[in-house]
Amino acid sequence: AHVGAFDFIGHYLHAVGYPLVILTTRTTSRLVFDGVTYLRQANGLALVDANASGVRKALVSLHKGEFAVVVSDRDFFSNGISVPFFGRETTLPQGAVRMARDTGAVVVPIFGRRKKRGHQIIVLPPLAIEKTDDLQVDLKQGLGKIVEVMEAAIAAAPSQWVMFQAVWPPEVPASV
């Protein structure tokens, strides 16, 4: 999730030798996105667009025993799975769950936290994603595990959740 200085996590993991492929997408103006992307890639981070080509690169990385980085707290493409998130229904992306299910990889929840002096990286126990004959059930259950962990991490430091787009659909006023 976009908690704390979340960009710091990728830079740190890359600096200590973890091979990462980071899926990203443009959520701001082209100028701002290009500037942020330049800074994110300045130390050699591998950023790929969260499109079919980028997902293929992430899957190749996972099959090689490397790491794919995916945030799961915002459904940027509006094609996610409907789940309760902090007690309200919304959709969240299935990318991390789907890639883990299809490759046998685990989902390792990692969150950042800004401290008075420096940053903290919180690495939680891995989440295994079950693979049965029912893809939709597997995805819903797997995303449920991720939601539970994200809710706890965000609730532990709500002022550090960096989300500038709507996460929940607007409420429709009840008819009288």
Side-chain angles (χ1 to χ4, degrees):
H2 295 88
V3 178
F6 55 90
D7 275 321
F8 173 75
I9 297 168
H11 286 280
Y12 175 78
L13 293 174
H14 175 72
V16 297
Y18 287 93
L20 308 173
V21 170
I22 300 173
L23 290 156
T24 187
T25 191
R26 186 169 70 87
T27 59
T28 61
S29 71
R30 173 54 64 187
L31 177 68
V32 171
F33 178 74
D34 288 347
V36 170
T37 299
Y38 173 80
L39 292 173
R40 286 175 171 165
Q41 292 176 324
N43 293 319
L45 280 177
L47 270 66
V48 297
D49 285 329
N51 57 25
S53 173
V55 170
R56 277 192 297 278
K57 289 176 184 173
L59 290 170
V60 167
S61 180
L62 290 172
H63 282 295
K64 292 189 319 189
E66 298 175 351
F67 302 88
V69 178
V70 183
V71 293
S72 298
D73 58 344
R74 172 71 166 89
D75 185 10
F76 292 102
F77 299 114
S78 300
N79 63 354
I81 297 172
S82 181
V83 293
F85 187 43
F86 286 104
R88 285 190 55 204
E89 202 68 23
T90 191
T91 59
L92 291 175
Q94 62 180 308
V97 176
R98 182 69 188 258
M99 287 190 289
R101 181 191 180 272
D102 291 352
T103 65
V106 294
V107 174
V108 180
I110 301 177
F111 301 94
R113 183 119 5 111
R114 291 182 305 276
K115 304 298 268 182
K116 285 185 180 182
R117 299 195 71 191
H119 301 277
Q120 176 184 30
I121 296 176
I122 301 162
V123 180
L124 298 174
L127 306 172
I129 306 301
E130 190 171 5
K131 184 174 185 175
T132 69
D133 291 335
D134 192 332
L135 171 64
Q136 296 310 313
V137 168
D138 296 349
L139 295 177
K140 185 100 172 169
Q141 289 178 349
L143 188 55
K145 292 178 182 182
I146 291 174
V147 165
E148 184 178 328
V149 171
M150 282 194 308
E151 287 175 334
I154 293 166
S159 66
Q160 295 193 35
W161 189 27
V162 184
M163 187 54 61
F164 297 111
Q165 291 86 20
V167 174
W168 295 273
E171 291 190 31
V172 178
S175 301
V176 179

